Amino acid sequence: MTPTTLQALGDILLHPRGIAIIGASPEPHRIGGQPIRALKEFGYAGRVYPVNPKYDEVQGLPCCRDIASVPKPCDIALICVPASAVAQSIRECGHVGIPAAVVLSAGFKEIGEAGQALQDDLDAAIAESGVRVIGPNCQGMLSPAEHVYCGFGAPFMYSHALTGSIALVTQSGGFGYAVMGLSEAEGTGFNHVISTGNEADVTALDLMELLLAHEKTRIVATYIEGVKDGRRLTALGHQALSVNKPILVWKVGNSETGKIAAASHTANLSAGVEMYRTAFAQGGYVELSDVYDLVDMANAFSSPHRPQGKRVAVISISGGAGVLLADVCDGLGLSLPAMSEETLVQLRGLLPGFSSLLNPIDVTAQIFNDFSVFNKVVSAVGADPGIDQLIVVMASVEGANALKLATELADIHGRLNKPIFVVSSAPAARAKEAREKFREAAIPVYPTPSRAAKGMAAVTEFERKRVAHMARATATVTRSFQKPTITMPDAPGTSLSERESKAILTAYGIPVVQEVFLTMDRAVAGDYSGIAFPVVAKLDSPDLPHKTEAGAVRVGLQNAPALKTAIDDMVQSAKAYKPDARIAGVSVQQMATGTEVIVGTVNDPYFGPTVVFGLGGIFTELLKDISMRFAPVSIEDARSMVTEIKASKLLTGYRGGLPVDLDRIAEIIHRVSWLAHDHQDRIAEIDINPIFVRPLGQESVAADGLIVLKPMEKAL
Amino acid sequence: MTPTTLQALGDILLHPRGIAIIGASPEPHRIGGQPIRALKEFGYAGRVYPVNPKYDEVQGLPCCRDIASVPKPCDIALICVPASAVAQSIRECGHVGIPAAVVLSAGFKEIGEAGQALQDDLDAAIAESGVRVIGPNCQGMLSPAEHVYCGFGAPFMYSHALTGSIALVTQSGGFGYAVMGLSEAEGTGFNHVISTGNEADVTALDLMELLLAHEKTRIVATYIEGVKDGRRLTALGHQALSVNKPILVWKVGNSETGKIAAASHTANLSAGVEMYRTAFAQGGYVELSDVYDLVDMANAFSSPHRPQGKRVAVISISGGAGVLLADVCDGLGLSLPAMSEETLVQLRGLLPGFSSLLNPIDVTAQIFNDFSVFNKVVSAVGADPGIDQLIVVMASVEGANALKLATELADIHGRLNKPIFVVSSAPAARAKEAREKFREAAIPVYPTPSRAAKGMAAVTEFERKRVAHMARATATVTRSFQKPTITMPDAPGTSLSERESKAILTAYGIPVVQEVFLTMDRAVAGDYSGIAFPVVAKLDSPDLPHKTEAGAVRVGLQNAPALKTAIDDMVQSAKAYKPDARIAGVSVQQMATGTEVIVGTVNDPYFGPTVVFGLGGIFTELLKDISMRFAPVSIEDARSMVTEIKASKLLTGYRGGLPVDLDRIAEIIHRVSWLAHDHQDRIAEIDINPIFVRPLGQESVAADGLIVLKPMEKAL
C-alpha cells in the first residue's frame, strides 16, 4: 500500500468513516473495551468494528475474527493488543488497505534495551505496509467535534459535549487529556486532541502541519517534550503566521532533571530549550506554562478584532485593578498612553471631579449611581485614534447591572473594530446573562486583570510578528556577497589551527587582524624584520585549541627582545602542557583594541547551524547575555541580534563613548552565518572570540578564530 | 476620649457588639442602605442602629435622629454621609464614646487640592475625638466569620457562608473584594476582609499587626499600593516569622505608570518596589501576583506538616506531568533527588519493567489495572529519609478510583509527618468524595502541577526563613567595632569633598587609598617630593561631584613632569566645565588595582538608610545586578549580599583567578551600613565607587568615596 500523504491523512484522522478496535474487549472498563463503549454511546456517526478471535460479539456489536474480515470502509485501526503482536497487526492492516492505525500498546523503545527489538520490528512493519501509524505508547485520539473516541483513560469515559476550533497535539497523553479536562471546566472546548506517544511514524510536527491546514481549526495547541526536526518546527512557525493561526506551545523537559525524565518518558532526547525558544521567537508560537494560559490564550485569540499596536486603554470601576494593570501591562510590553485632548474633553463632561482621567481611567464606585456613564466613557476612549485596544474592568458587578453593561459593550464592540477585553470577577453564576452576552459578541472575559493582560499581550505580539512576516517579500535570506570557494581541510573531528581558521574567515570576508607568520626556525633565530610593535604572539598548533591555558599566548610585546623571550617561554609552557603538541610556528599579530564581541555558531543535531552573538568575556560566559538565530541570518536579523542583548547599550554609546559600527557587526554575523550554512556538512562549530569592534570609520577585526570540524559520519 | 490601642481595636473591629449606620437609607440598594439590609438578613448577632434625622424607621429598624441618640453598646459607626459632614460625625462619635468609625465617604485628599481642606479637618477631628478611623474613601469591612457587613458594593449584597482562617487587608476595596469573590469561588474563604482607603488614621500596617496577633487568623493576606513606614513593614515580616503566620502580599504600583495611577487612586506615593522586595525577602512574606496565587498559597499553608527541606519526590500517573514538574521544581529551587537504594529495592518489587524509577517516578497508566500499587509506591517513597515532601499526580482519575486513592493517601499522610500535595485534574464534580476526603485530611489539592509546585516552594522558603529567624538569638545587629566619634561638616544639601568624605570613611575603619594632598600653590610649583609614582591625580573641589565629566581626574601618571602637565590640564578643563568651581588643591593617590566593587547607601524617606552592593562599572549601572539590605547590616548578612549577586562568580575565583577576600568586603559593607545608620539624620547618600578588592592577605581599598548630606529640614 502506498503510504497516505499528510494532506490525505487529515481527512482520515479527523473524519474517519469506520474504526476497527484490534484487541476488542467485552468489558467496558478494559483498555480494549473503553473506546467501543464510547464510540457506541457518545454519538460517533461511523461504523465500529471490534476485532478479536475469541468473540462473535462484543458489547452488542458483531466481532470480526481477524483484521482481514473487517468490512469497508474502515479508516482507522485502533490497536490494543500486547506489544509483541503490534507489528503483525500493522502488516495485516496494510494487506487489507486500512490506511491508518492508532497504537495504544506500550513496551517499545521507551522501556530501553528490552523494547528495542519490538520497536525495530514495528518500524519495519510500518515501512513495508504503508500504514500511517500514531503511537505506539500513546493514549489515543479524542475528537469531540466528530464524536471520535479512539483511546483510553478517564476522558474516554464520558461524552464531551463542549467543542471548539482548537486542536491539541500532545506528546504526553496523560498530560494532554488533563489539560483538555481542565480547559473544558473553564469553558474552552477542543475539536481534536491527539496524543503521539513514541512517534514511530506520524510525529507531533506532522499533526501540527496537518491541523494548520485544517479549515475548521483556528488555533493549534501542542505539548512537546522534544522534536527531531528543529528546522521544521521553525518552518511551521512561519506557516502559522502565513495562515494566521497561532500555535500555542507548551514545551517541557527543559531543566536537566526534566530532560532526563522526558527521555525515559517518551524516549525524547533533543536540543536545549534555548534552541526551541529561538524557533518560537521567529514564528507564530505563543509559549504556555500552565493550563490556564491555554484557556486564556484561546480566549484572547477568539476575539474577531486584532490590535493595530500595543497602546492599551484601561477603564476600571476598581482603582486597584487599574493600578495592577498598569504594572502588568508595563511588564508585558504594552503601553498605557494618555488620551488625546479631544477624548479628555469628553471624559471631563462624563466623569465627576474625583475620577482619575489618566490611563488607567478610574471611573470609581460612583458609577453605581449611573451605569450609563460607564459605557459612554468606553465609547469615547474607544474612538481615540491613539488607542489600539481596551481592557474594561467590571470588578464584581453582577446580575441586571452586569447585563446592562454587557449589552452596551457588545454594541460598542460591534461598531469599534478594536479588541475589547473584559475583566469580571463576579462569580459566573451571578452574572450568567452578561457572560452569555459577551460570549455572543465574542468579547473575551477574564476573571483577573493579569490574565486579561497576558492574553492581550500574546495577541499583540502575534499580530506584530504576522504583519512583519507578511511584509517580507520572501522568507528566504539573500546573501549580501558572492559565495566564496574554499577548500576545507580534510580533518574530521578536529579543530583547525588558528591560521587555517582565519584563512577561511578571510575568504568569507570576515576581517581578521594583520599577522606575520614565523616558522619555528625564524622564530628561534630572532629574525623579526617587518614586524611593527607592539604585538601579540601565539603559537600555531592544531593540538592546542585552548591557547591561554597552554601558556601559548603573550600580549603587549613592545620590541624584538621581548618577543624573543616570549617565544622561548611559550614553547616551554606548551611542551609542559602537552608534550606531544605539534608546533608549526608563531603567529605575530597586531595589537587590536575596541569593544570585545563574540560571534559563534553551533551545528545542532536537531536545529542545524545556529549563530550566537554576545559581548566578550563574562557577558557571554557568566551572564548568558546572548542572542541566537538559525543560519543563514539576514543583515536585518543580524542587527536585531546585536541590539536585543541586555548589555547592548555598551555598543550604542555608553557613558558618552562613541557608538560602534553596528552595520559592520551585522555584516560579520551575516557572513559567519552563511559560512556555517554553506559548510554545515563539515563545520561543527565556529568561535570568533574576540572581535574588536570600533566606531564607524574604524575597521573592526577578529583577533582570534577557531573552526571545529564535525566528526566523521558513522556510515563512512 | 483616649484613642483605643491597637490591641483593643482588634476586639472592637473583629467582634463589634453594635454598629451605627450614619446616613442610613431606607432603600436597600443605596450605599447607606446596603449594609443595613446585609446586617439584618445575613446573621449578624449584634445590634444595628440606623442614624438619619429624616426618618423614624429605616428598613424596619428604629432610626436614631443623631449620633448622640445611639444606644450602647455601639462599637462601630459606619459613616455614609457626604464628605463635608464626615469630620463633624467623627467629633460626635467621640462625644458619645463610639470608639471606632469606618468611613465610606470619598472626596478627600485622593481628589487632590479640592479635597485637602476636608482631609485636614478630618485629621483634626480624629486627633481631637480619639475615635479610631478606617478610611475615608474605603469600601468598608466584611467579616464572614462574624456576619459583619460594614460596607457597600456587590460582595455586601449576598451572604458569605464560606469562612476560613485567612484575613485580608486591602488598600483597594474594589480589588480586595474581587479577590474575595474569586477566592471563594475556588473554595478559599476569609474570616475578615478590611479595606483601608486613604488611611487617615488606621493603616494597612496597623491592621496587619493586629491580625498577626489575632488567634483565629492563621494567614494574613494584603493588597498594598504603598506604605509610609517601611521599617515597620520589615518588622512585621519578622513578627510573621516569630508567630509562624505567613503574610501573603500583593504589591502593586511598581511600574512608573502604576506609581502614578496609585497616587491618584489612594493618594499613595511611596518607595520603589526594590525597597519593598528587600523588606519582603527578609521577613515572612510570600509575594503574590494573581488571585490564584492567593488561593494556592492559602491551600499550601493549610497543610499541617511543614517540610524539613527542599527535597521533593514526584510520583505521577502521567509521565508528562512528571517531566513538567521536574522543570518547574528546578526553576523554583526545589530539588528532585534520587531515591535511596533501599527505596529503589522496594519500588522494583512494586512497579513493572517499563516504569521510570528516577525521580519523577512515572507509575504509568498500568496502575489502572491495580490501583493499590500506587499508594504502596507513595508509602515507600514517603519513608525515604532523603525526601522532605511529596507531590502526587493523580491526573484525571475520578469517581470510586479517586476515592480509593484519596483514602489511602489520607492514611499515609496521617502517619508520615511530611507534606503531601496532590495534583488532580479531574473535574471537581467527578471526584467529589475524593476531594472531601483530601479536605478532611488537610491534604492540599491543585488542578495543575505548576500551581502545586509554586505552593510547595513558597512554604519551603517560608519555613527556611522561619527556622533561620528562630535560630538567631536576637534580631538586633551588633556592631563589630566601637562607634567612632566624627564631626560631620555643617553643609546641608551638599556633597562633601572627596577628602572630607574619605576622612569620615577612614574614621569608620573603611580603608581608602594612600594619598598626598597638594595645595594649589605646591601643585602649580611642581614640588612633588615624597610621591611614589605611578599615581592618579584628582582635583579637590566641593563643586565637582562628578569629576570624570569635569575632566578633573587623570590616571596612570608615571612621573613628575606627567603629573605637572595633568594638573594644568585638569584645572583648565574644570574651569571650562564650571567656571566658578572652587578648587582646594590636588589629591595625588596611589594607583590601586583589583576587582572593582561598589558599596553605597541611600536614605529612603519610607525605608530609611539602605545599603547597596554591586560590582563596578556596567554591572551596577547597566545590568542592575545589585543586592540590598536595610542598615545596619550584620557581617553575616553582608556576606550574603556579596554572594547573592548574579556575577558573584567574578569574586569567588573566575577562570582560575584567585578568590577575593570576601570577609573583608563583608566587613566594609557592615561598617558603611553603620555609618549610614549612625548618621541617618545627616547623611543622604554614601557612594564608594570603586573599592578595589583583592585576594586574602592583600588589602582592599576604596579609591573614591562621596558622602552627600541631607537638605536642611523644612522645620528649621
Side-chain angles (χ1 to χ4, degrees):
Chain A
M1 189 168 69
T2 314
T4 309
T5 62
L6 206 53
Q7 204 183 349
L9 189 61
D11 277 341
I12 290 169
L13 289 178
L14 307 181
H15 312 283
R17 294 165 299 171
I19 299 168
I21 293 85
I22 322 302
S25 167
E27 292 172 50
H29 72 273
R30 302 285 300 183
I31 288 177
Q34 290 178 21
I36 298 175
R37 171 181 167 249
L39 288 164
K40 266 178 59 196
E41 294 184 11
F42 302 155
Y44 173 55
R47 300 292 300 274
V48 181
Y49 309 113
V51 179
N52 194 327
K54 286 195 275 184
Y55 308 107
D56 292 326
E57 191 212 275
V58 163
Q59 298 189 44
L61 294 174
C63 184
C64 307
R65 307 223 131 246
D66 51 31
I67 293 171
S69 327
V70 171
K72 306 216 171 225
C74 177
D75 285 335
I76 297 179
L78 179 61
I79 298 188
C80 315
V81 298
S84 56
V86 169
Q88 182 54 29
S89 297
I90 295 295
R91 288 189 175 96
E92 288 173 24
C93 288
H95 291 145
V96 301
I98 297 176
V102 175
V103 181
L104 307 182
S105 325
F108 295 89
K109 70 173 175 181
E110 80 280 4
I111 65 166
E113 279 302 309
Q116 195 57 52
L118 289 179
Q119 180 81 42
D120 293 344
D121 191 24
L122 175 57
D123 291 346
I126 293 169
E128 292 160 23
S129 67
V131 175
R132 300 305 308 258
V133 169
I134 292 183
N137 184 33
C138 76
Q139 206 181 329
M141 180 174 84
L142 200 165
S143 302
E146 304 283 330
H147 312 288
V148 171
Y149 291 75
C150 279
F152 70 101
F156 294 85
M157 303 303 273
Y158 60 96
S159 174
H160 295 254
L162 192 66
T163 182
S165 51
I166 310 173
L168 173 65
V169 176
T170 175
Q171 289 188 327
S172 165
F175 197 80
Y177 287 112
V179 167
M180 180 188 195
L182 288 167
S183 301
E184 286 176 342
E186 299 274 311
T188 299
F190 296 83
N191 53 7
H192 303 278
V193 177
I194 312 176
S195 75
T196 62
N198 285 11
E199 306 192 347
D201 174 27
V202 177
T203 63
L205 293 177
D206 290 331
L207 293 171
M208 285 156 65
E209 180 175 336
L210 181 159
L211 288 160
L212 281 178
H214 180 232
E215 201 190 350
K216 292 184 182 163
T217 295
R218 289 183 54 199
I219 299 172
V220 177
T222 185
Y223 165 98
I224 53 176
E225 294 180 356
V227 301
K228 297 272 178 280
D229 186 350
R231 289 302 177 108
R232 189 160 163 224
L233 188 76
T234 309
L236 285 176
H238 292 141
Q239 183 63 13
L241 294 174
S242 298
V243 301
N244 197 2
K245 296 179 184 180
I247 302 177
L248 311 182
V249 61
W250 194 342
K251 167 74 180 79
V252 302
N254 302 329
S255 62
E256 278 314 302
T257 321
K259 264 191 209 175
I260 294 165
S264 82
H265 174 224
T266 48
N268 261 306
L269 202 57
S270 184
V273 67
E274 65 285 358
M275 289 288 171
Y276 286 90
R277 298 246 155 89
T278 301
F280 298 159
Q282 291 175 41
Y285 291 97
V286 176
E287 211 176 340
L288 310 176
S289 62
D290 204 347
V291 177
Y292 299 95
D293 288 347
L294 187 146
V295 171
D296 292 346
M297 296 306 155
N299 208 351
F301 279 97
S302 72
S303 168
H305 306 316
R306 289 287 176 84
Q308 299 283 313
K310 61 180 187 170
R311 299 166 304 173
V312 177
V314 172
I315 300 166
S316 179
I317 292 181
S318 153
V323 177
L324 171 66
L325 273 171
D327 283 358
V328 176
C329 287
D330 185 73
L332 292 167
L334 299 171
S335 69
L336 269 65
M339 303 294 128
S340 71
E341 190 46 46
E342 202 178 352
T343 306
L344 287 175
V345 168
Q346 289 183 64
L347 292 179
R348 280 186 206 112
L350 289 166
L351 291 168
F354 56 88
S355 297
S356 167
L357 295 184
L358 295 168
N359 185 6
I361 298 174
D362 181 3
V363 295
T364 81
Q366 98 98 26
I367 67 111
F368 285 101
N369 294 325
D370 180 6
F371 276 109
S372 72
V373 168
F374 192 64
N375 283 10
K376 286 183 196 150
V377 170
V378 176
S379 288
V381 171
D384 192 312
I387 295 300
D388 300 310
Q389 44 195 341
L390 289 84
I391 300 181
V392 174
V393 182
M394 285 175 55
S396 320
V397 177
E398 53 182 50
N401 284 331
L403 178 59
K404 216 183 299 172
L405 290 185
T407 308
E408 289 180 50
L409 274 175
D411 179 51
I412 298 170
H413 187 247
R415 286 184 284 112
L416 201 62
N417 205 23
K418 290 180 184 178
I420 299 181
F421 285 22
V422 165
V423 179
S424 163
S425 48
R430 303 183 64 83
K432 221 169 166 177
E433 290 93 351
R435 293 291 162 89
E436 188 50 34
K437 179 62 72 182
F438 285 130
R439 208 192 53 72
E440 281 167 19
I443 295 179
V445 179
Y446 291 87
T448 74
S450 312
R451 291 172 63 175
K454 275 190 214 163
M456 188 166 269
V459 178
T460 304
E461 173 63 6
F462 179 86
E463 195 59 13
R464 186 194 66 74
K465 289 198 283 193
R466 193 183 69 79
V467 169
H469 177 77
M470 300 316 272
R472 278 197 284 268
T474 162
T476 51
V477 177
T478 53
R479 199 191 291 262
S480 72
F481 58 102
Q482 279 248 304
K483 182 177 174 181
T485 308
I486 60 169
T487 312
M488 190 70 71
D490 185 24
T494 67
S495 305
L496 301 185
S497 73
E498 184 177 340
R499 207 152 53 98
E500 289 170 321
S501 300
K502 280 185 175 168
I504 293 171
L505 296 178
T506 303
Y508 263 78
I510 298 148
V512 299
V513 287
Q514 301 271 330
E515 69 176 64
V516 172
F517 184 74
L518 307 177
T519 60
M520 279 318 290
D521 288 347
R522 189 176 159 200
V524 174
D527 168 13
Y528 304 146
S529 52
I531 291 175
F533 292 90
V535 295
V536 177
K538 299 176 184 177
L539 294 190
D540 185 71
S541 165
D543 302 321
L544 300 172
H546 302 291
K547 290 198 186 67
T548 308
E549 290 172 21
V553 180
R554 289 288 188 285
V555 302
L557 305 172
Q558 302 288 339
N559 47 41
L563 176 56
K564 176 76 176 75
T565 312
I567 290 171
D568 295 343
D569 280 1
M570 287 194 291
V571 171
Q572 208 169 349
S573 298
K575 288 287 176 197
Y577 179 78
K578 195 169 186 192
D580 60 348
R582 292 162 294 171
I583 299 171
V586 180
S587 165
V588 180
Q589 306 170 345
Q590 70 181 107
M591 281 279 285
T593 57
T595 307
E596 294 183 32
V597 304
I598 296 174
V599 176
T601 74
V602 292
N603 199 341
D604 187 82
Y606 305 100
F607 285 85
T610 308
V611 186
V612 181
F613 171 79
L615 288 174
I618 55 114
F619 288 95
T620 296
E621 205 170 309
L622 197 60
L623 302 175
K624 315 284 182 214
D625 182 18
I626 57 169
S627 55
M628 291 173 68
R629 291 287 189 290
F630 300 126
V633 177
S634 69
I635 289 188
E636 189 192 344
D637 275 349
R639 231 190 125 103
S640 302
M641 288 180 74
V642 177
T643 52
E644 79 191 25
I645 61 169
K646 289 195 207 85
S648 66
K649 279 190 192 160
L650 289 180
L651 299 171
T652 54
Y654 176 69
R655 284 195 150 184
L658 278 177
V660 303
D661 185 351
L662 296 187
D663 290 333
R664 192 69 184 114
I665 309 180
E667 172 80 23
I668 292 172
I669 293 171
H670 171 73
R671 286 170 180 264
V672 171
S673 82
W674 275 106
L675 170 57
H677 173 81
D678 290 341
H679 299 279
Q680 58 187 289
D681 292 345
R682 302 294 314 282
I683 295 179
E685 276 177 44
I686 303 172
D687 187 14
I688 313 181
N689 176 8
I691 301 174
F692 287 98
V693 296
R694 305 172 67 184
L696 192 66
Q698 303 176 38
E699 183 56 302
S700 299
V701 285
D704 202 349
L706 179 70
I707 293 175
V708 180
L709 298 184
K710 287 171 83 172
M712 220 178 308
E713 294 291 330
K714 275 186 188 162
L716 293 179
Chain B
M1 187 170 68
T2 314
T4 309
T5 61
L6 205 53
Q7 203 182 349
L9 189 62
D11 278 341
I12 290 169
L13 289 179
L14 307 181
H15 313 283
R17 295 164 299 171
I19 300 169
I21 292 85
I22 321 303
S25 167
E27 291 172 51
H29 71 273
R30 303 284 302 182
I31 288 177
Q34 289 179 23
I36 298 175
R37 172 182 166 247
L39 288 164
K40 266 178 59 196
E41 294 185 10
F42 303 154
Y44 173 56
R47 301 291 300 274
V48 182
Y49 309 113
V51 179
N52 194 328
K54 287 195 274 184
Y55 308 106
D56 291 327
E57 192 213 274
V58 164
Q59 297 189 42
L61 294 174
C63 184
C64 307
R65 308 223 129 248
D66 51 31
I67 293 172
S69 330
V70 171
K72 305 217 172 225
C74 177
D75 285 335
I76 296 179
L78 178 61
I79 297 187
C80 315
V81 299
S84 57
V86 170
Q88 181 53 29
S89 297
I90 295 295
R91 289 189 173 97
E92 289 172 25
C93 288
H95 291 146
V96 301
I98 297 176
V102 174
V103 182
L104 306 183
S105 324
F108 296 88
K109 70 174 174 180
E110 80 280 5
I111 64 166
E113 279 300 310
Q116 195 57 51
L118 288 180
Q119 180 81 41
D120 292 344
D121 191 26
L122 175 57
D123 291 345
I126 294 169
E128 291 160 23
S129 67
V131 176
R132 301 304 307 259
V133 169
I134 292 184
N137 184 31
C138 77
Q139 205 182 329
M141 178 175 84
L142 200 165
S143 301
E146 304 283 330
H147 312 287
V148 171
Y149 291 75
C150 279
F152 70 102
F156 294 85
M157 303 302 273
Y158 60 95
S159 174
H160 295 255
L162 192 67
T163 182
S165 50
I166 310 174
L168 173 64
V169 176
T170 175
Q171 289 188 327
S172 164
F175 197 79
Y177 287 113
V179 167
M180 180 189 197
L182 287 167
S183 301
E184 286 176 343
E186 299 274 311
T188 298
F190 296 83
N191 54 7
H192 303 277
V193 177
I194 312 176
S195 75
T196 62
N198 284 12
E199 306 192 346
D201 174 27
V202 178
T203 63
L205 293 176
D206 289 332
L207 294 171
M208 285 155 65
E209 180 174 335
L210 181 160
L211 288 160
L212 281 177
H214 180 231
E215 201 190 348
K216 292 183 182 162
T217 296
R218 289 182 55 200
I219 298 172
V220 177
T222 185
Y223 165 97
I224 52 176
E225 294 180 357
V227 301
K228 296 272 177 282
D229 187 350
R231 290 302 176 108
R232 189 161 163 223
L233 188 78
T234 309
L236 285 177
H238 292 142
Q239 184 63 11
L241 294 174
S242 297
V243 301
N244 197 1
K245 296 180 184 180
I247 303 176
L248 312 182
V249 61
W250 195 341
K251 167 74 179 79
V252 302
N254 303 329
S255 60
E256 279 314 302
T257 321
K259 263 190 208 175
I260 294 164
S264 82
H265 175 223
T266 49
N268 261 306
L269 201 57
S270 185
V273 67
E274 66 284 358
M275 289 288 172
Y276 286 89
R277 298 246 155 89
T278 301
F280 298 158
Q282 291 176 42
Y285 291 97
V286 177
E287 211 175 342
L288 310 177
S289 63
D290 203 349
V291 177
Y292 298 95
D293 288 348
L294 187 147
V295 171
D296 292 345
M297 295 308 155
N299 209 351
F301 280 97
S302 72
S303 169
H305 306 316
R306 289 287 176 85
Q308 299 282 312
K310 61 180 187 171
R311 298 165 305 173
V312 178
V314 173
I315 300 166
S316 178
I317 292 181
S318 153
V323 177
L324 171 66
L325 273 171
D327 283 358
V328 176
C329 287
D330 185 74
L332 292 166
L334 299 171
S335 69
L336 270 65
M339 304 292 129
S340 71
E341 191 45 47
E342 202 177 353
T343 306
L344 286 175
V345 168
Q346 289 182 65
L347 293 180
R348 281 187 206 111
L350 289 166
L351 291 169
F354 57 90
S355 297
S356 167
L357 295 182
L358 296 167
N359 186 6
I361 298 173
D362 181 3
V363 296
T364 81
Q366 98 99 27
I367 66 112
F368 285 101
N369 293 325
D370 179 6
F371 276 109
S372 72
V373 168
F374 192 65
N375 282 9
K376 285 181 195 150
V377 170
V378 176
S379 287
V381 171
D384 192 312
I387 295 300
D388 300 310
Q389 45 196 339
L390 289 84
I391 300 180
V392 175
V393 182
M394 285 176 56
S396 320
V397 178
E398 53 182 51
N401 285 330
L403 178 59
K404 216 184 300 173
L405 290 185
T407 307
E408 289 181 52
L409 275 176
D411 179 52
I412 298 170
H413 188 247
R415 286 183 285 112
L416 200 62
N417 205 24
K418 291 180 185 178
I420 299 181
F421 284 21
V422 166
V423 179
S424 164
S425 48
R430 303 184 64 84
K432 219 168 166 177
E433 291 94 350
R435 294 290 163 90
E436 187 50 34
K437 179 62 73 180
F438 284 130
R439 209 193 51 72
E440 280 168 17
I443 295 178
V445 179
Y446 291 87
T448 75
S450 311
R451 289 172 64 175
K454 274 191 215 163
M456 188 166 267
V459 178
T460 305
E461 174 63 6
F462 180 87
E463 195 59 13
R464 185 193 67 73
K465 288 197 283 193
R466 194 183 69 79
V467 169
H469 177 77
M470 300 317 270
R472 278 198 284 268
T474 163
T476 51
V477 178
T478 53
R479 198 191 291 261
S480 73
F481 57 103
Q482 278 248 305
K483 182 177 175 181
T485 309
I486 58 169
T487 310
M488 191 70 70
D490 186 22
T494 66
S495 304
L496 301 185
S497 74
E498 183 177 341
R499 207 153 52 101
E500 289 170 321
S501 300
K502 281 185 174 169
I504 293 171
L505 296 177
T506 303
Y508 264 79
I510 296 148
V512 298
V513 286
Q514 300 272 331
E515 69 177 67
V516 173
F517 184 74
L518 305 178
T519 58
M520 277 319 288
D521 287 348
R522 190 178 158 199
V524 174
D527 167 15
Y528 304 146
S529 53
I531 291 176
F533 291 91
V535 296
V536 176
K538 299 177 186 178
L539 295 190
D540 185 71
S541 165
D543 302 320
L544 300 172
H546 302 292
K547 290 197 186 65
T548 308
E549 290 172 20
V553 180
R554 290 290 187 283
V555 301
L557 306 171
Q558 302 287 339
N559 48 42
L563 176 56
K564 176 75 176 75
T565 311
I567 289 171
D568 295 342
D569 280 1
M570 286 193 292
V571 171
Q572 208 169 349
S573 299
K575 288 290 176 196
Y577 179 80
K578 195 169 188 190
D580 59 349
R582 293 163 292 170
I583 300 171
V586 181
S587 166
V588 180
Q589 305 170 346
Q590 69 181 108
M591 280 279 283
T593 56
T595 306
E596 294 185 31
V597 303
I598 296 174
V599 176
T601 73
V602 292
N603 199 341
D604 187 83
Y606 305 100
F607 286 84
T610 307
V611 186
V612 181
F613 171 78
L615 288 175
I618 55 114
F619 288 95
T620 296
E621 205 169 309
L622 197 61
L623 302 175
K624 316 284 182 213
D625 182 18
I626 57 169
S627 55
M628 292 174 68
R629 292 286 190 288
F630 299 126
V633 178
S634 70
I635 288 188
E636 188 191 346
D637 275 348
R639 230 190 126 104
S640 302
M641 288 181 74
V642 178
T643 51
E644 78 192 27
I645 61 168
K646 289 194 207 88
S648 67
K649 278 189 193 161
L650 288 180
L651 299 171
T652 54
Y654 176 69
R655 284 196 150 184
L658 278 176
V660 303
D661 186 351
L662 295 187
D663 290 334
R664 191 70 184 113
I665 309 180
E667 172 80 23
I668 292 172
I669 293 171
H670 171 72
R671 286 170 180 265
V672 172
S673 82
W674 276 104
L675 170 58
H677 173 81
D678 290 340
H679 299 279
Q680 57 187 289
D681 293 345
R682 302 293 315 281
I683 295 179
E685 276 177 44
I686 303 172
D687 186 14
I688 313 182
N689 176 9
I691 301 174
F692 287 97
V693 296
R694 306 172 66 183
L696 193 65
Q698 302 177 38
E699 182 57 300
S700 298
V701 286
D704 202 349
L706 179 69
I707 293 175
V708 180
L709 299 184
K710 288 171 82 171
M712 218 178 309
E713 293 292 330
K714 277 187 187 161
L716 292 180

